[in-house]
């Protein structure tokens, strides 16, 4: 977080920071000694030949301005991503005119500060160039005192087309190519994004459009001061395990006009800890570090991940004095927690473990991967961010990986994660490519890394830094057909960028959390192999990414028994209500131009149907619209069931080693959210609507989970527990016939000890024996539900296991479900009545924002009530009108 710019500034979201400029002779310094003037608001914007000229909001971007002023339609509408390609091929200039109060101009130093420029720009003040930018992930400031004048001052930011710039940089790099050069045609994107320090997915991705943005995406300010100003404060608690002692490393980033002596007092009053330091702020921008020892380490309340404990914080105060006069005074939050990435030998297995210990406790990481929530960052509201993160927590996640092809997220994102207990695996922004290493590229990356680590390191939610997404794998498994003779050159560039520069800076700036060079990686083993392992997907080491669209996803044997699954997933389509606003009637069929246009993953639409067809009948309605919406539904059913199977496999592999593999300690599926309305791997649609997968995640990430699967025709049930205490659990299996809502029979296993943080097999029986014992059942006529219980009753959700593909099930009928919407004092509810067993029962209320307590479920009871949490005002009438109910047999 950058504190520059306000007198009262929010630090980590809630508390405030007060900076007071230095002035001798007064015991406290009047506010007017430091002047901050925001230059945010309405600027004017024009293209290179002046044919377009319009007002533009700062922070903002060219696309948003053009849309807001009615020059273009919604860029997400139909094929507009391609129609509006011209925008990023042009150069654009932002201009503003402002006056500066006389007192500001008399200050010793006046800085023009840009929190974020997207991306390649020259900056002109009153006709004089003050500097250039080339990196959207950096803050820039320029000394401008000598250029300011009375009356109107004119500030111009001239932005170069990022597409043309990237291509020029590629041409200038003639010695060897830096692949992939261009994205696959199906992505309809732009080339050479790896040559520009900008959101890599803005040139298109396999789930996103090409909108190479340009603009001032963060704030612009003038800062005027006489002696010094505080730019940033960070605090990182460090724990000495052998002494059982906490200390807090506090860093002040200060810009001093001249060398200044002073005293700094750092305290955490609630822990009775305070220390005063003599210090010297050297002239220019410097970092001063202070270590506060915490006296009462045993009393420190710790920050815990979601569902493992609370997220308490303390107030940290820093005050600065010069000759007895207060020169700075800040308050911020400090959270205490430790994180260790454990890579050590595993009994009975070659390789090394790979898991996280938080506050000394091994924790299974459950969650997903985060991508940018919008192509135009200025259109992401705080409410949208909070809703997405709350949805992650509501699905029992404890971790998100901020993926390296997007952006370092805004401060609020991390503050919400701190508050909700979401652990963040933070990539640096490099993805799926080789990168150049010329000195100016390295220099701008170095500055980016320093700034981002300093901005973010106070957040307890961030538990690991990771150098890039999939670039070790790309090199190791030769994605880009690099001739063997040239490979050393690329390995050298890889090590230069991620190891010798990024890793070195991160380790220097932050000793409180681990650093990994890539994901996937073999971690310590990759290091042994010169940082690029022969096979970075080796399940015996580190993390893996695994995708297979050809294998039957119901067969767990297809999945690697990895130490840590940081990416895996399947695509689905969003619901009709999400697609409708960006499409027209002729688009609403699975083979329309629109449907193939929005699909950026080669063969993706076919892969979804093929995967679905292995277990479900595909929709065959003669009504084209119904056939389309049924197809959207069936892709969601397929995705939910596939990711469920894979996640359950990872969770049940937590404790075992089988054939030398196992001890899986993380499952982060690809991907949480969407950037636009299109098919993707996400579990939440653009706009926030939960797909069926997200409802399934609530269950498959539950703290206590029964997992059922077959091995060689024997049914196993595992009890998986994320709790800290032991339980004595038994499995209860209920057999139903597809034709009947009354159970055929029920079985109970003996109670077994399930230690906290483990997965234990508690039920095992050949399917043939189970069915024979149950009487009138075959694999085709019956299905199973099961749950766990102890003396206190059911623990965790009820799960199910199909004994055949639903398409082969005998007796599955149309359930003719009826629904009644009601409102009581707890809120809105929907009570369903079904005439028969119904699978994947899906309630949809169109574009009414909100979520059900449960959805996509198996209905083996006549009546069932779910609640609806609305995200805006709604009514029984509106909900009843909008509600549709679909189950598996309704689509054929
Ligand atoms: C991985 C990710 C993304 C991609 C996803 C789905 O490669 O890191 O690059 O979107 O798979 O293909």
């Amino acid at each position: 977080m950058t504190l520059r710019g306000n007198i009262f500034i929010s630090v980590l979201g809630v508390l405030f920071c007060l900076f007071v400029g230095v002035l001798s002779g007064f015991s406290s310094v009047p506010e007017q000694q430091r002047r901050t003037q925001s230059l945010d608001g309405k600027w004017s914007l024009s293209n290179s030949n002046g044919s377009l000229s319009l007002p533009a909001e700062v922070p903002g971007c060219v696309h948003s301005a053009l849309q807001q002023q009615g020059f273009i339609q919604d860029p997400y509408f139909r094929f507009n991503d391609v129609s509006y390609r011209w925008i990023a091929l042009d150069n654009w200039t932002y201009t503003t005119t402002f006056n500066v109060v006389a007192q500001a101009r008399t200050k010793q130093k006046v800085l023009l500060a840009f929190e974020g420029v997207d991306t390649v720009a020259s900056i002109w003040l009153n006709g004089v160039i003050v500097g250039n930018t080339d990196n959207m992930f950096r803050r820039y400031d320029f000394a401008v005192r000598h250029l300011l004048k009375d009356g109107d001052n004119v500030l111009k930011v001239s932005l170069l087309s990022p597409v043309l710039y990237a291509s020029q940089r590629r041409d200038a790099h003639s010695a060897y190519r830096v692949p992939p050069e261009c994205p696959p045609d199906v992505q309809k994107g732009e080339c050479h994004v790896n040559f520009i320090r900008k959101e890599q997915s803005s040139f298109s991705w396999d789930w996103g459009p090409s909108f190479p943005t340009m603009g001032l995406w963060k704030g612009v300010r003038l800062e005027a001061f006489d002696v010094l100003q505080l730019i940033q404060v960070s605090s990182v608690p460090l724990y000495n395990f052998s002494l059982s002692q906490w200390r807090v490393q506090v860093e002040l980033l200060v810009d001093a006009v001249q060398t200044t002596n002073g005293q700094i007092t750092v305290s955490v009053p609630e822990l009775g800890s305070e220390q005063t330091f003599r210090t010297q702020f050297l002239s220019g921008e410097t970092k001063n570090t202070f270590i506060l020892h915490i006296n009462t380490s045993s009393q420190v309340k710790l920050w815990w991940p979601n569902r493992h404990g609370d997220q308490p914080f303390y107030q940290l105060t820093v005050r600065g004095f010069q000759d007895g006069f207060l020169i700075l005074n800040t308050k911020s939050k400090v959270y205490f927690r430790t994180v260790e990435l454990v890579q050590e030998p595993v009994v009975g297995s070659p390789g090394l473990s790979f898991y996280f210990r938080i506050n000394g406790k091994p924790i299974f990481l459950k969650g997903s991967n985060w991508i940018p929530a919008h192509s135009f960052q200025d259109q992401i509201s705080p409410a949208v961010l909070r809703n997405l993160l709350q949805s992650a927590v509501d699905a029992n996640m404890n971790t998100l990986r901020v993926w390296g092809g997007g952006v370092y997220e805004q401060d609020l994102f991390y503050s919400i994660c701190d508050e909700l207990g979401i652990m963040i695996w933070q990539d640096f922004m490099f993805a799926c490519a080789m990168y150049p290493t010329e000195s100016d590229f390295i220099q701008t990356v170095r500055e980016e890394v320093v700034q981002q680590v300093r901005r973010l390191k106070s957040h307890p939610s961030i538990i690991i830094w990771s150098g890039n997404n999939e670039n070790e794998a790309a090199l190791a498994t030769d994605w880009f057909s690099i001739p063997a003779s040239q490979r050393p050159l690329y390995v050298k560039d890889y090590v230069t960028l991620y190891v010798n520069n990024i890793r070195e800076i991160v380790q220097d700036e932050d000793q409180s959390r681990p650093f990994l060079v890539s994901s996937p990686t073999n971690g310590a083993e990759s290091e042994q192999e010169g940082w690029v392992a022969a096979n970075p997907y080796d399940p015996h080491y580190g993390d893996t990414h695994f995708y297979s669209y050809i294998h039957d996803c119901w067969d767990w044997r297809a999945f690697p028994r990895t130490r840590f699954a940081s990416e895996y997933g399947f695509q689905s389509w969003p619901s009709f209500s999400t697609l409708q606003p960006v499409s027209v009637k002729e688009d609403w069929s699975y083979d329309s131009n629109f449907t193939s246009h929005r699909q950026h993953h080669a063969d993706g639409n076919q892969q979804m149907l093929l995967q679905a067809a292995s277990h479900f009948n595909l929709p065959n309605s003669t009504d084209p619209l119904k056939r389309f919406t049924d197809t959207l539904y069936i892709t969601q059913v397929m995705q939910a069931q596939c990711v469920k199977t894979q996640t359950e496999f990872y969770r049940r592999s937590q404790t075992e080693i089988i054939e030398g593999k196992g001890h899986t300690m993380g499952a982060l599926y690809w991907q949480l959210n969407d950037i636009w309305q299109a098919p993707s791997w996400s579990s939440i649609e653009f706009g926030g609507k939960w797909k069926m997968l997200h409802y399934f995640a609530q269950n498959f990430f539950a703290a206590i989970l029964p997992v059922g699967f077959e091995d060689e025709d024997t049914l196993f049930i595992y009890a998986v527990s994320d709790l800290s205490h032991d339980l004595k659990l038994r499995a209860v299996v209920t057999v139903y016939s597809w034709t009947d809502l009354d159970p055929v029979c029920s079985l109970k296993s003996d109670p077994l000890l399930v230690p906290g943080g483990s997965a234990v097999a508690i039920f095992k029986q050949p399917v043939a024996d189970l069915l024979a014992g149950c009487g009138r059942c075959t694999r085709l006529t019956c299905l199973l539900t099961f749950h766990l219980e102890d003396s206190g009753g059911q623990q965790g959700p009820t799960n199910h296991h199909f004994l055949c593909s639903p398409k082969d099930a005998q007796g599955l009928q149309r359930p003719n479900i009826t629904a009644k919407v009601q409102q009581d004092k707890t809120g809105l509810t929907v009570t369903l009545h079904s005439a028969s067993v119904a699978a994947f029962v899906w309630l949809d209320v169109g574009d009414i924002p909100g979520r059900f307590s449960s959805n996509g479920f198996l209905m083996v009871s006549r009546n069932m009530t779910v609640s609806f949490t609305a995200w805006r005002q709604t009514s029984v009438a509106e909900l009843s009108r909008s509600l549709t109910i679909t189950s598996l047999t309704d689509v054929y």
Side-chain angles (χ1 to χ4, degrees), residues 195-229:
F195 280 91
I196 179 169
R197 290 311 297 144
K198 174 175 178 53
E199 177 188 322
Q200 297 290 282
S201 59
S202 67
F203 278 38
S204 84
W205 213 260
D206 60 3
W207 36 255
S210 172
F211 284 116
T213 47
M214 308 164 74
L216 297 167
W217 73 299
K218 298 198 174 189
V220 185
R221 284 187 284 278
L222 273 181
E223 302 279 2
F225 52 96
D226 273 330
V227 177
L228 61 76
Q229 74 152 344

Short mmCIF file of all heavy atoms in Angstrom, two decimals, residues 195-229:
data_model
loop_
_atom_site.label_atom_id
_atom_site.label_comp_id
_atom_site.label_asym_id
_atom_site.label_seq_id
_atom_site.Cartn_x
_atom_site.Cartn_y
_atom_site.Cartn_z
N PHE A 195 7.01 -8.93 -24.34
CA PHE A 195 7.98 -7.82 -24.44
C PHE A 195 7.51 -6.56 -23.73
O PHE A 195 8.19 -5.54 -23.76
CB PHE A 195 8.27 -7.51 -25.92
CG PHE A 195 9.26 -8.45 -26.54
CD1 PHE A 195 8.83 -9.60 -27.18
CD2 PHE A 195 10.62 -8.20 -26.45
CE1 PHE A 195 9.74 -10.48 -27.74
CE2 PHE A 195 11.54 -9.08 -27.02
CZ PHE A 195 11.10 -10.22 -27.65
N ILE A 196 6.35 -6.62 -23.11
CA ILE A 196 5.83 -5.41 -22.46
C ILE A 196 5.37 -5.77 -21.05
O ILE A 196 4.71 -6.79 -20.84
CB ILE A 196 4.73 -4.74 -23.32
CG1 ILE A 196 4.17 -3.48 -22.64
CG2 ILE A 196 3.62 -5.68 -23.69
CD1 ILE A 196 3.27 -2.65 -23.57
N ARG A 197 5.73 -4.93 -20.07
CA ARG A 197 5.39 -5.21 -18.67
C ARG A 197 3.97 -4.73 -18.40
O ARG A 197 3.76 -3.63 -17.87
CB ARG A 197 6.40 -4.56 -17.71
CG ARG A 197 7.75 -5.18 -17.71
CD ARG A 197 7.72 -6.70 -17.58
NE ARG A 197 7.14 -7.14 -16.31
CZ ARG A 197 6.37 -8.24 -16.19
NH1 ARG A 197 6.06 -9.01 -17.21
NH2 ARG A 197 5.90 -8.57 -15.01
N LYS A 198 3.06 -5.59 -18.75
CA LYS A 198 1.65 -5.27 -18.75
C LYS A 198 0.91 -6.57 -18.49
O LYS A 198 1.45 -7.65 -18.74
CB LYS A 198 1.35 -4.73 -20.15
CG LYS A 198 -0.05 -4.46 -20.47
CD LYS A 198 -0.13 -3.81 -21.86
CE LYS A 198 -1.58 -3.58 -22.20
NZ LYS A 198 -2.33 -2.87 -21.17
N GLU A 199 -0.32 -6.46 -18.01
CA GLU A 199 -1.15 -7.65 -17.79
C GLU A 199 -1.05 -8.55 -19.02
O GLU A 199 -1.47 -8.17 -20.11
CB GLU A 199 -2.60 -7.23 -17.55
CG GLU A 199 -3.55 -8.40 -17.38
CD GLU A 199 -5.01 -7.94 -17.34
OE1 GLU A 199 -5.31 -6.89 -16.75
OE2 GLU A 199 -5.85 -8.66 -17.90
N GLN A 200 -0.48 -9.75 -18.84
CA GLN A 200 -0.19 -10.60 -19.99
C GLN A 200 -1.48 -11.10 -20.66
O GLN A 200 -1.53 -11.28 -21.87
CB GLN A 200 0.69 -11.78 -19.56
CG GLN A 200 2.05 -11.32 -19.03
CD GLN A 200 2.96 -10.77 -20.11
OE1 GLN A 200 3.56 -11.50 -20.89
NE2 GLN A 200 3.05 -9.44 -20.20
N SER A 201 -2.54 -11.27 -19.89
CA SER A 201 -3.77 -11.77 -20.50
C SER A 201 -4.53 -10.68 -21.24
O SER A 201 -5.55 -10.96 -21.88
CB SER A 201 -4.68 -12.41 -19.44
OG SER A 201 -5.01 -11.48 -18.44
N SER A 202 -4.03 -9.42 -21.20
CA SER A 202 -4.76 -8.36 -21.90
C SER A 202 -4.57 -8.45 -23.42
O SER A 202 -5.27 -7.78 -24.17
CB SER A 202 -4.32 -6.97 -21.41
OG SER A 202 -2.98 -6.71 -21.78
N PHE A 203 -3.62 -9.29 -23.88
CA PHE A 203 -3.46 -9.52 -25.32
C PHE A 203 -4.24 -10.78 -25.74
O PHE A 203 -4.03 -11.30 -26.80
CB PHE A 203 -1.99 -9.68 -25.68
CG PHE A 203 -1.22 -8.37 -25.86
CD1 PHE A 203 -1.44 -7.27 -25.05
CD2 PHE A 203 -0.24 -8.26 -26.86
CE1 PHE A 203 -0.71 -6.08 -25.21
CE2 PHE A 203 0.48 -7.08 -27.03
CZ PHE A 203 0.25 -6.00 -26.21
N SER A 204 -5.09 -11.29 -24.87
CA SER A 204 -5.95 -12.49 -25.02
C SER A 204 -5.39 -13.66 -24.23
O SER A 204 -4.19 -13.76 -24.01
CB SER A 204 -6.13 -12.94 -26.48
OG SER A 204 -5.04 -13.75 -26.89
N TRP A 205 -6.32 -14.53 -23.85
CA TRP A 205 -5.92 -15.77 -23.15
C TRP A 205 -6.89 -16.87 -23.55
O TRP A 205 -7.81 -16.62 -24.33
CB TRP A 205 -5.89 -15.55 -21.63
CG TRP A 205 -4.81 -16.38 -21.00
CD1 TRP A 205 -4.96 -17.59 -20.36
CD2 TRP A 205 -3.40 -16.11 -21.00
NE1 TRP A 205 -3.73 -18.06 -19.95
CE2 TRP A 205 -2.76 -17.18 -20.34
CE3 TRP A 205 -2.62 -15.06 -21.50
CZ2 TRP A 205 -1.38 -17.23 -20.17
CZ3 TRP A 205 -1.24 -15.12 -21.33
CH2 TRP A 205 -0.64 -16.19 -20.67
N ASP A 206 -6.68 -18.07 -23.02
CA ASP A 206 -7.59 -19.14 -23.45
C ASP A 206 -8.95 -19.05 -22.77
O ASP A 206 -9.84 -19.85 -23.03
CB ASP A 206 -6.97 -20.55 -23.36
CG ASP A 206 -6.54 -20.95 -21.97
OD1 ASP A 206 -6.77 -20.17 -21.02
OD2 ASP A 206 -5.97 -22.06 -21.82
N TRP A 207 -9.15 -18.05 -21.91
CA TRP A 207 -10.46 -17.76 -21.33
C TRP A 207 -10.84 -16.30 -21.48
O TRP A 207 -11.84 -15.87 -20.91
CB TRP A 207 -10.51 -18.13 -19.84
CG TRP A 207 -9.21 -17.85 -19.14
CD1 TRP A 207 -8.30 -18.79 -18.76
CD2 TRP A 207 -8.64 -16.57 -18.80
NE1 TRP A 207 -7.19 -18.17 -18.19
CE2 TRP A 207 -7.38 -16.81 -18.21
CE3 TRP A 207 -9.05 -15.25 -18.94
CZ2 TRP A 207 -6.53 -15.78 -17.76
CZ3 TRP A 207 -8.21 -14.22 -18.51
CH2 TRP A 207 -6.97 -14.51 -17.93
N GLY A 208 -10.04 -15.53 -22.22
CA GLY A 208 -10.31 -14.10 -22.19
C GLY A 208 -10.06 -13.38 -23.49
O GLY A 208 -9.28 -13.84 -24.34
N PRO A 209 -10.71 -12.23 -23.65
CA PRO A 209 -10.59 -11.46 -24.89
C PRO A 209 -9.30 -10.66 -24.96
O PRO A 209 -8.63 -10.46 -23.95
CB PRO A 209 -11.78 -10.50 -24.79
CG PRO A 209 -11.93 -10.26 -23.32
CD PRO A 209 -11.57 -11.56 -22.66
N SER A 210 -9.01 -10.17 -26.14
CA SER A 210 -7.87 -9.28 -26.31
C SER A 210 -8.36 -7.84 -26.19
O SER A 210 -9.06 -7.34 -27.08
CB SER A 210 -7.26 -9.51 -27.70
OG SER A 210 -6.27 -8.54 -27.93
N PHE A 211 -8.05 -7.24 -25.07
CA PHE A 211 -8.27 -5.80 -24.90
C PHE A 211 -6.99 -5.20 -24.32
O PHE A 211 -6.88 -5.05 -23.10
CB PHE A 211 -9.46 -5.53 -23.97
CG PHE A 211 -10.80 -5.76 -24.60
CD1 PHE A 211 -11.66 -6.74 -24.13
CD2 PHE A 211 -11.21 -4.99 -25.69
CE1 PHE A 211 -12.89 -6.96 -24.72
CE2 PHE A 211 -12.45 -5.20 -26.29
CZ PHE A 211 -13.28 -6.19 -25.81
N PRO A 212 -6.03 -4.90 -25.17
CA PRO A 212 -4.78 -4.33 -24.65
C PRO A 212 -5.07 -2.91 -24.17
O PRO A 212 -5.12 -1.98 -24.96
CB PRO A 212 -3.85 -4.34 -25.86
CG PRO A 212 -4.51 -5.25 -26.86
CD PRO A 212 -5.97 -5.10 -26.61
N THR A 213 -5.30 -2.79 -22.90
CA THR A 213 -5.74 -1.51 -22.34
C THR A 213 -4.63 -0.47 -22.39
O THR A 213 -3.44 -0.80 -22.48
CB THR A 213 -6.17 -1.69 -20.88
OG1 THR A 213 -5.15 -2.46 -20.24
CG2 THR A 213 -7.49 -2.39 -20.79
N MET A 214 -5.05 0.79 -22.31
CA MET A 214 -4.12 1.92 -22.23
C MET A 214 -4.79 2.93 -21.31
O MET A 214 -6.00 3.13 -21.41
CB MET A 214 -3.96 2.57 -23.60
CG MET A 214 -3.62 1.59 -24.68
SD MET A 214 -3.89 2.29 -26.32
CE MET A 214 -2.50 3.38 -26.41
N GLY A 215 -4.00 3.55 -20.47
CA GLY A 215 -4.63 4.57 -19.63
C GLY A 215 -3.85 4.86 -18.36
O GLY A 215 -2.70 4.45 -18.20
N LEU A 216 -4.48 5.64 -17.49
CA LEU A 216 -3.94 5.92 -16.17
C LEU A 216 -4.80 5.10 -15.23
O LEU A 216 -5.90 5.52 -14.86
CB LEU A 216 -4.01 7.42 -15.89
CG LEU A 216 -3.16 8.24 -16.86
CD1 LEU A 216 -3.48 9.73 -16.78
CD2 LEU A 216 -1.68 8.01 -16.61
N TRP A 217 -4.37 3.88 -14.93
CA TRP A 217 -5.27 2.93 -14.26
C TRP A 217 -5.27 3.11 -12.75
O TRP A 217 -6.07 2.50 -12.06
CB TRP A 217 -4.98 1.50 -14.69
CG TRP A 217 -3.72 0.85 -14.18
CD1 TRP A 217 -2.45 1.26 -14.39
CD2 TRP A 217 -3.65 -0.35 -13.40
NE1 TRP A 217 -1.58 0.38 -13.79
CE2 TRP A 217 -2.27 -0.61 -13.19
CE3 TRP A 217 -4.58 -1.25 -12.89
CZ2 TRP A 217 -1.83 -1.73 -12.46
CZ3 TRP A 217 -4.11 -2.35 -12.17
CH2 TRP A 217 -2.77 -2.58 -11.95
N LYS A 218 -4.36 3.96 -12.24
CA LYS A 218 -4.38 4.30 -10.82
C LYS A 218 -4.22 5.81 -10.69
O LYS A 218 -4.10 6.50 -11.69
CB LYS A 218 -3.27 3.54 -10.10
CG LYS A 218 -3.48 2.02 -10.21
CD LYS A 218 -2.71 1.23 -9.20
CE LYS A 218 -3.12 -0.23 -9.32
NZ LYS A 218 -2.59 -1.07 -8.25
N GLY A 219 -4.20 6.29 -9.47
CA GLY A 219 -4.28 7.72 -9.24
C GLY A 219 -3.06 8.53 -9.66
O GLY A 219 -1.96 8.00 -9.84
N VAL A 220 -3.29 9.84 -9.82
CA VAL A 220 -2.22 10.79 -10.16
C VAL A 220 -2.29 11.93 -9.14
O VAL A 220 -3.38 12.42 -8.82
CB VAL A 220 -2.43 11.37 -11.58
CG1 VAL A 220 -1.25 12.27 -11.97
CG2 VAL A 220 -2.62 10.27 -12.61
N ARG A 221 -1.11 12.36 -8.65
CA ARG A 221 -1.10 13.39 -7.59
C ARG A 221 0.11 14.28 -7.70
O ARG A 221 1.15 13.87 -8.24
CB ARG A 221 -1.02 12.73 -6.21
CG ARG A 221 -2.27 12.11 -5.72
CD ARG A 221 -2.09 11.66 -4.30
NE ARG A 221 -1.30 10.44 -4.20
CZ ARG A 221 -1.81 9.22 -4.38
NH1 ARG A 221 -3.08 9.08 -4.68
NH2 ARG A 221 -1.06 8.15 -4.26
N LEU A 222 -0.03 15.43 -7.11
CA LEU A 222 1.14 16.28 -6.86
C LEU A 222 1.42 16.21 -5.37
O LEU A 222 0.49 16.29 -4.56
CB LEU A 222 0.83 17.73 -7.21
CG LEU A 222 1.03 18.20 -8.63
CD1 LEU A 222 0.67 19.69 -8.69
CD2 LEU A 222 2.45 17.98 -9.13
N GLU A 223 2.67 16.08 -5.00
CA GLU A 223 3.07 16.05 -3.60
C GLU A 223 4.10 17.15 -3.40
O GLU A 223 5.11 17.17 -4.09
CB GLU A 223 3.78 14.73 -3.26
CG GLU A 223 2.98 13.50 -3.51
CD GLU A 223 2.02 13.23 -2.38
OE1 GLU A 223 1.98 14.04 -1.43
OE2 GLU A 223 1.31 12.23 -2.47
N ALA A 224 3.82 18.03 -2.45
CA ALA A 224 4.77 19.11 -2.18
C ALA A 224 5.15 19.07 -0.71
O ALA A 224 4.28 18.98 0.15
CB ALA A 224 4.13 20.44 -2.53
N PHE A 225 6.46 19.10 -0.40
CA PHE A 225 6.88 19.04 1.00
C PHE A 225 8.23 19.73 1.16
O PHE A 225 8.97 19.93 0.20
CB PHE A 225 6.92 17.60 1.50
CG PHE A 225 7.72 16.66 0.64
CD1 PHE A 225 9.04 16.37 0.95
CD2 PHE A 225 7.15 16.06 -0.48
CE1 PHE A 225 9.78 15.51 0.15
CE2 PHE A 225 7.89 15.20 -1.27
CZ PHE A 225 9.20 14.93 -0.97
N ASP A 226 8.53 20.04 2.43
CA ASP A 226 9.75 20.79 2.68
C ASP A 226 10.95 19.95 3.10
O ASP A 226 12.06 20.21 2.68
CB ASP A 226 9.50 21.85 3.76
CG ASP A 226 8.97 23.12 3.13
OD1 ASP A 226 9.34 23.38 1.97
OD2 ASP A 226 8.19 23.82 3.77
N VAL A 227 10.71 18.95 3.96
CA VAL A 227 11.88 18.21 4.43
C VAL A 227 11.79 16.73 4.06
O VAL A 227 12.69 16.21 3.42
CB VAL A 227 12.07 18.40 5.95
CG1 VAL A 227 13.24 17.56 6.44
CG2 VAL A 227 12.31 19.86 6.25
N LEU A 228 10.71 16.09 4.44
CA LEU A 228 10.58 14.70 4.02
C LEU A 228 9.12 14.30 3.93
O LEU A 228 8.25 14.94 4.50
CB LEU A 228 11.36 13.74 4.94
CG LEU A 228 11.03 13.63 6.42
CD1 LEU A 228 9.76 12.84 6.65
CD2 LEU A 228 12.18 12.94 7.13
N GLN A 229 8.89 13.20 3.22
CA GLN A 229 7.56 12.61 3.25
C GLN A 229 7.66 11.09 3.33
O GLN A 229 8.57 10.48 2.78
CB GLN A 229 6.74 13.03 2.03
CG GLN A 229 7.15 12.34 0.76
CD GLN A 229 6.00 12.22 -0.23
OE1 GLN A 229 4.85 12.40 0.15
NE2 GLN A 229 6.32 11.92 -1.47
#
